[in-house]
Amino acid sequence: MTNKYCDVIVVGGGNAALCAAMSAKEHGAKVLVLERAPEAKRGGNSRFTGGGFRMVHNGLEDIKEVVPELSAEDIAITDFGQYTAEKYLDDLGRTTQYNIDPELAEILVDRSTDTVKWIRKQGVKFEPQYGRQAFKVNGRYKFTSGVVVNAIGAGQGLVESEYKAIAQQGIELRYGAHVMKLLRGKEGVNGVSVVIDGVEEQIYAGAVVLACGGFEANREWRTRYLGPGWELVKVRGTRYNTGEGIRMALEIGAQSYGHWSASHACPFERYAPDFGNLEKIGAGIRHSYPMGIMVNAEGKRFVDEGADWRNFTYVKYGPIVLKQPGSYAWQVFDTQTTHLLRGEYKMRGGHKVEADTLEELVKRMEDVEPKAFLETVREFDASIKKDAPPFDPNIKDGRGTVGLALPKSNWATALDKPPYTAYSIGCGITFTFGGIKIDKTSRVLDMADDPMRGLYAGGEIVGGLFYFNYPSSSGLMAGAVFGRTAGREAALFALGKTAE
Ligand SMILES: Cc1cc2nc3c(=O)[nH]c(=O)nc-3n(C[C@H](O)[C@H](O)[C@H](O)COP(=O)(O)OP(=O)(O)OC[C@H]3O[C@@H](n4cnc5c(N)ncnc54)[C@H](O)[C@@H]3O)c2cc1C
């Protein structure tokens, strides 16, 4: 039976919540974690990630502190580069079109390195992201961005290590605990109403941390806030992030904040299950479109597939696929590039057709206007510059088209080496950007920007960080930074140690 009082209640069971819980415990609080999912499905979206953390670093010395296991050979063949605070701020500004809350951006950047080192001390092990973020050229790896390390075992490894740490630290945890409501007393928020095993109970606390995600798994809210058609998209991660934490906070006067009508969404297997599958994490990703072309139901191309590295286009192209007639499209490749497709294309369950001729291929695609498709491919093939540089997937090769209303700027190769392969895609949502407003100590703010006593938040539930797009691997980093801060501040408040 759960105790009816503790110092800090943490709502959620992903990376932000677990960091909040460990941090609150570190500051002397008696902590209770309430995770809505059953134990087998614990860990939220954090569990579905690649486990990468975008952090400021000054090269080898910082990386060695996070990955002490680095071998002499690793060190000899790797240039870890540097990722300065200025560069990180610049990347956050650019990708969010300078809408990011500047105070939150500074905190995220300034505390990133120390927070990753702190997570390491809790027992999470890291490794360099060779292969994903650095490629071997002339016998050496070179990292060029702030994403150098990921948790060993990716998101799964990350949350398993965090749950292990929670258990070792003696933090109490309940699964299948669906928090429904925030309770308030004289001192502010002082507990929650939660349904466990079908029974509603009230649990009181000195402070509450909300770290229970966004609303991407809520069809109605997606339609309401992201727009018509968003009820149809596939959810790439957990089914438990339905915006309950946001709703509870708004109900008692918290301020909504951030880009409510936008989300992280990308091209995804059209017939994927409605929610992410823990048995096949990563299945459904369709990010290799720069290696071919994409056509809609009318047989027409609708984006510049080679505009940039996929890192900078995939989040924009998900919503564009959704807007196509019927909300689907096809990615088409020939044998010159099929061997370059990401591993997820080879996983079972994808909707794929193959044929030796384009005429037969489009027949098998069934729901694409055949004449227009054949004309699109003919025009595309004919438009590739005669003096184009050779195809090279390792660089932005400048091998583009000329004269098309919609160009392909890089990696343009004529579709003339059968057999042909086509994958049917739709849109998959990763997480939502809108949420509630916090200050620099992770206190939830009301409509007048005043802190709501006893209420703290961290992770995806927080608005104001991501707009339009986001620099990859800053979601886990933000969850860790603001979750950790929320846990510490909630503990200090609950134990009467806050300065105010
Ligand atoms: C497929 C995929 C890949 C991704 N890859 C990356 C990546 O490589 N790097 C990166 O930085 N980010 C990535 N992200 C984004 C990243 O997952 C999030 O930014 C981050 O994990 C959010 O952490 P969180 O703790 O706030 O939320 P979550 O990890 O989603 O945790 C929310 C928790 O709240 C619980 N919950 C919800 N409602 C309630 C309730 N009412 N009561 C109790 N508990 C509740 C849920 O069960 C869940 O445990 C990816 C996301 C997905 C879906």
Side-chain angles (χ1 to χ4, degrees):
M1 180 72 183
T2 305
N3 291 328
K4 294 291 181 186
Y5 183 85
C6 62
D7 298 319
V8 175
I9 289 174
V10 176
V11 183
N15 175 57
L18 301 174
C19 287
M22 292 186 285
S23 168
K25 173 79 183 179
E26 189 176 64
H27 287 85
K30 187 168 183 313
V31 183
L32 171 65
V33 176
L34 298 172
E35 157 66 310
R36 179 177 175 182
E39 184 170 357
K41 295 185 177 172
R42 68 185 182 181
N45 273 351
S46 304
R47 190 164 162 190
F48 286 85
T49 67
F53 283 75
R54 179 176 291 265
M55 65 168 197
V56 171
H57 70 88
N58 291 313
L60 179 61
E61 289 314 309
D62 278 331
I63 304 302
K64 259 180 17 190
E65 273 194 64
V66 178
V67 193
E69 300 81 7
L70 273 182
S71 69
E73 195 198 333
D74 290 334
I75 293 171
I77 59 165
T78 312
D79 174 0
F80 291 104
Q82 276 193 332
Y83 192 59
T84 62
E86 292 70 33
K87 180 77 177 91
Y88 200 162
L89 284 171
D90 190 48
D91 285 344
L92 286 167
R94 196 169 30 81
T95 46
T96 63
Q97 300 183 22
Y98 299 95
N99 285 288
I100 188 169
D101 180 310
E103 198 168 61
L104 297 185
E106 294 237 349
I107 291 168
L108 168 59
V109 169
D110 289 350
R111 297 192 194 152
S112 60
T113 325
D114 180 59
T115 302
V116 174
K117 291 177 185 174
W118 175 80
I119 296 176
R120 157 87 207 176
K121 283 198 196 112
Q122 308 302 314
V124 176
K125 292 204 168 161
F126 291 91
E127 63 189 354
Q129 273 206 328
Y130 292 123
R132 255 201 186 189
Q133 301 294 337
F135 302 95
K136 211 172 194 174
V137 179
N138 298 329
R140 273 178 76 73
Y141 288 96
K142 185 171 171 56
F143 285 88
T144 52
S145 88
V147 191
V148 172
V149 296
N150 64 267
I152 293 182
Q156 186 103 346
L158 170 72
V159 297
E160 285 311 312
S161 303
E162 289 177 337
Y163 273 104
K164 199 168 154 201
I166 292 278
Q168 281 166 350
Q169 293 171 23
I171 294 172
E172 194 181 356
L173 198 149
R174 298 294 304 265
Y175 295 109
H178 188 172
V179 176
M180 309 289 286
K181 196 174 166 215
L182 294 166
L183 306 175
R184 276 192 298 180
K186 286 204 301 285
E187 293 302 316
V189 172
N190 69 348
V192 299
S193 187
V194 55
V195 175
I196 303 175
D197 294 333
V199 179
E200 185 159 355
E201 56 181 290
Q202 278 75 46
I203 306 177
Y204 291 92
V208 173
V209 176
L210 292 174
C212 43
F215 61 87
E216 61 278 353
N218 183 329
R219 281 191 192 87
E220 191 214 331
W221 276 37
R222 285 204 305 269
T223 317
R224 199 190 293 180
Y225 296 112
L226 304 182
W230 282 89
E231 65 273 40
L232 303 176
V233 305
K234 306 295 181 183
V235 177
R236 296 180 58 208
T238 180
R239 66 183 308 144
Y240 298 102
N241 289 353
T242 51
E244 301 270 336
I246 299 175
R247 175 191 54 74
M248 283 180 252
L250 295 181
E251 272 170 8
I252 62 164
Q255 187 176 155
S256 59
Y257 198 45
H259 201 175
W260 272 72
S261 60
S263 66
H264 182 300
C266 48
F268 202 65
E269 159 58 37
R270 180 173 166 193
Y271 298 109
D274 285 347
F275 301 100
N277 179 352
L278 283 167
E279 305 301 316
K280 282 182 163 185
I281 288 179
I285 289 176
R286 296 289 179 261
H287 291 178
S288 296
Y289 51 82
M291 300 295 108
I293 63 167
M294 290 200 277
V295 295
N296 62 17
E298 292 166 349
K300 296 185 180 143
R301 290 176 55 245
F302 52 93
V303 290
D304 177 349
E305 300 88 345
D308 205 334
W309 296 110
R310 71 98 203 162
N311 273 344
F312 300 112
T313 56
Y314 77 110
V315 176
K316 281 191 281 187
Y317 289 176
I320 295 178
V321 171
L322 185 66
K323 286 198 188 115
Q324 299 311 302
S327 296
Y328 64 86
W330 287 81
Q331 297 178 346
V332 184
F333 310 95
D334 73 3
T335 45
Q336 295 169 95
T337 59
T338 39
H339 62 288
L340 297 170
L341 305 186
R342 282 172 57 129
E344 296 90 4
Y345 282 75
K346 296 175 191 85
M347 290 170 87
R348 289 179 66 185
H351 188 50
K352 159 185 163 185
V353 295
E354 285 171 303
D356 286 331
T357 64
L358 288 165
E359 288 75 8
E360 191 53 35
L361 186 80
V362 71
K363 252 192 227 162
R364 292 183 186 173
M365 286 153 75
E366 289 178 348
D367 46 16
V368 171
E369 167 50 50
K371 266 169 80 177
F373 169 75
L374 294 172
E375 183 58 18
T376 295
V377 177
R378 195 197 58 73
E379 270 181 10
F380 176 78
D381 288 357
S383 72
I384 297 167
K385 290 181 205 161
K386 294 285 167 278
D387 56 349
F391 172 76
D392 185 348
N394 283 316
I395 54 167
K396 283 211 272 184
D397 63 6
R399 187 179 167 83
T401 59
V402 271
L404 289 183
L406 187 59
K408 182 173 180 191
S409 303
N410 291 286
W411 310 297
T413 52
L415 287 160
D416 58 4
K417 302 276 184 299
Y420 301 100
T421 314
Y423 291 83
S424 190
I425 57 158
C427 174
I429 188 167
T430 321
F431 63 95
T432 45
F433 292 158
I436 52 177
K437 190 171 185 185
I438 58 168
D439 69 4
K440 58 186 178 188
T441 53
S442 288
R443 294 182 297 187
V444 176
L445 300 181
D446 69 11
M447 294 305 284
D449 270 350
D450 291 324
M452 299 177 70
R453 288 171 67 78
L455 188 60
Y456 300 79
E460 249 174 37
I461 190 174
V462 171
L465 273 167
F466 305 126
Y467 294 78
F468 299 102
N469 201 345
Y470 101 133
S472 61
S473 293
S474 43
L476 287 174
M477 195 65 259
V481 164
F482 294 104
R484 182 189 181 196
T485 306
R488 181 189 66 229
E489 295 297 319
L492 296 179
F493 178 81
L495 300 172
K497 295 181 186 168
T498 311
E500 55 161 356

